[in-house]
Amino acid sequence: MKRIALALAFAALVVCAGCGKKQQQTGQATETPGKKRWTIGMSQCNLGEPWRVQMNKDIEEAAKQHADEIEVIFKDAQNKTEVQQAQVREFIQMGVDLIIISPKEARPLTKPVAEAYQKGIPVIVLDRKVEGDQYTCFIGADNVKIGREAGKYLVKLLGGKGKVVELKGLMTSTPGQERHKGFMEGIAGSQIQIIFDADCQWLEPIAQREMQSALARFPQIDAVYAHNDPSAHGAYLAARQEGKGREKSIKFIGIDALPHEGVRYVREGILTATFEYPTGGKEAIETALKILKGEQVPKNITLGTRIYTKENVEQGGEPL
Ligand code: FRU
């Protein structure tokens, strides 16, 4: 009799443990008695760029405010798509409660994200998008708007006409596509001409090299529209290296506006303007907590932007 009772108790325990695991996957509280602590897996496409280091810092800081509720596991995909695909699948295997991903490229990351989402693991896609709608929430600034504002700004700056070099970001990622699209809208109807463009993959050394080619080919360049500040800076370095003083006449425009990067370049007169691209790290954690607590969140959360020029940099830029 005693044995049967023991066996029954044991069986009940096993069933219960199973329930706990299932609950965890659907975003309910984890097993620690008396304490809810959820595990969030964060896949960062690379940590080679200052903006991404800042994003992780923003996530870490926001998560620290809720250390009793969440724990974040960070993974760095080192700018390799296959590594990032594997990371998402690893998080699924681990049974994390929620995934945050800042994907390197849209198309190849769409499937792993959809797999997690279909298994009931909420996914927040941060900054760069995936395709379709198989994710919980996208958080990021409006890159079409940023591109359009940059275009409108250049039209004004150059008096409606001029020769421009466009140094694009990775064009298999959505911010690159959208910053280009918006820029074309912004300069539409003007006599601004894009005389040279290149996919610089968001990287300063590539932008520097591409700008060297542009400088060698074109005696007149009025402005550089770079999809991020590292690329704008790379272009500036190429112009300075050329040794003809063109770094002083060409206007360099960038995007990101990190305080110790783009904003500093504006202050130093290297960039004419930069547009803020917020990391969304804090918002990702706030949204993650809402999802984990069962609250409804919007499918899209759009973050704001600001322009920094030498006229407004000391006042903290101007919202757009
Ligand atoms: C960093 C970065 C930023 C850019 C963002 C776009 O990897 O290149 O400079 O604004 O990614 O996703």
Side-chain angles (χ1 to χ4, degrees):
M1 200 53 199
K2 227 180 185 177
R3 267 203 190 151
I4 293 170
L6 254 174
L8 274 174
F10 181 71
L13 251 176
V14 170
V15 170
C16 241
C19 296
K21 183 70 196 148
K22 190 136 193 232
Q23 272 186 352
Q24 190 179 334
Q25 282 180 351
T26 51
Q28 302 297 309
T30 52
E31 59 287 328
T32 325
K35 224 177 188 190
K36 289 180 179 179
R37 213 166 125 88
W38 288 288
T39 304
I40 298 175
M42 159 61 187
S43 172
Q44 178 60 272
C45 67
N46 78 75
L47 280 176
E49 297 163 65
W51 188 86
R52 302 214 163 261
V53 174
Q54 186 61 47
M55 183 199 275
N56 275 22
K57 258 195 210 153
D58 292 345
I59 290 176
E60 213 177 335
E61 241 160 65
K64 241 193 242 156
Q65 311 297 313
H66 303 276
D68 53 332
E69 290 178 292
I70 50 172
E71 180 200 359
V72 184
I73 302 170
F74 288 92
K75 285 188 188 288
D76 167 15
Q78 298 176 353
N79 227 16
K80 294 188 185 96
T81 298
E82 321 75 64
V83 173
Q84 197 164 32
Q85 290 168 327
Q87 285 177 353
V88 176
R89 293 185 171 125
E90 219 179 307
F91 282 143
I92 299 174
Q93 285 294 314
M94 287 167 66
V96 297
D97 299 297
L98 184 143
I99 293 172
I100 300 175
I101 178 170
S102 193
K104 181 183 174 192
E105 297 173 281
R107 183 155 299 168
L109 271 313
T110 298
K111 197 157 172 273
V113 164
E115 283 166 21
Y117 181 70
Q118 279 157 14
K119 287 202 162 80
I121 301 175
V123 186
I124 295 177
V125 180
L126 196 51
D127 137 60
R128 300 185 188 172
K129 294 175 182 162
V130 292
E131 294 179 351
D133 62 358
Q134 296 297 290
Y135 57 86
T136 311
C137 174
F138 170 76
I139 303 177
D142 181 344
N143 282 302
V144 177
K145 174 176 168 170
I146 292 176
R148 195 186 304 122
E149 292 292 344
K152 284 182 355 199
Y153 177 79
L154 257 189
V155 172
K156 241 198 213 152
L157 188 72
L158 301 180
K161 64 172 199 284
K163 296 188 186 324
V164 173
V165 166
E166 183 179 7
L167 298 178
K168 297 171 171 165
L170 182 71
M171 290 306 278
T172 47
S173 72
T174 52
Q177 298 157 3
E178 293 169 352
R179 289 174 193 182
H180 170 69
K181 180 177 182 276
F183 186 72
M184 297 313 283
E185 289 172 18
I187 64 169
S190 76
Q191 289 174 54
I192 299 244
Q193 209 190 331
I194 298 174
I195 52 166
F196 181 98
D197 74 284
D199 185 332
C200 301
Q201 296 167 46
W202 305 114
L203 301 173
E204 176 161 337
I206 300 182
Q208 191 171 347
R209 232 175 25 239
E210 292 293 349
M211 186 63 185
Q212 280 164 358
S213 313
L215 289 160
R217 274 176 59 190
F218 297 99
Q220 191 199 332
I221 298 171
D222 299 306
V224 171
Y225 165 52
H227 285 196
N228 68 354
D229 290 336
S231 300
H233 188 247
Y236 169 84
L237 291 181
R240 207 175 64 185
Q241 269 166 358
E242 194 198 23
K244 295 183 183 163
R246 287 213 269 175
E247 77 277 10
K248 296 193 187 78
S249 59
I250 299 172
K251 314 282 186 207
F252 298 91
I253 314 291
I255 297 168
D256 278 349
L258 286 180
H260 49 282
E261 195 181 46
V263 172
R264 181 165 64 86
Y265 295 152
V266 168
R267 204 171 272 131
E268 291 171 353
I270 292 173
L271 299 189
T272 306
T274 180
F275 294 80
E276 185 196 13
Y277 189 55
T279 70
K282 180 168 163 271
E283 291 80 0
I285 289 300
E286 285 165 359
T287 308
L289 274 161
K290 284 189 187 157
I291 296 169
L292 290 165
K293 289 175 183 171
E295 286 174 41
Q296 279 294 318
V297 299
K299 188 86 183 177
N300 269 290
I301 296 178
T302 307
L303 308 172
T305 182
R306 309 173 79 82
I307 180 172
Y308 290 84
T309 62
K310 77 170 178 308
E311 289 78 29
N312 70 23
V313 67
E314 298 313 333
Q315 289 87 59
E318 228 178 275
L320 286 170

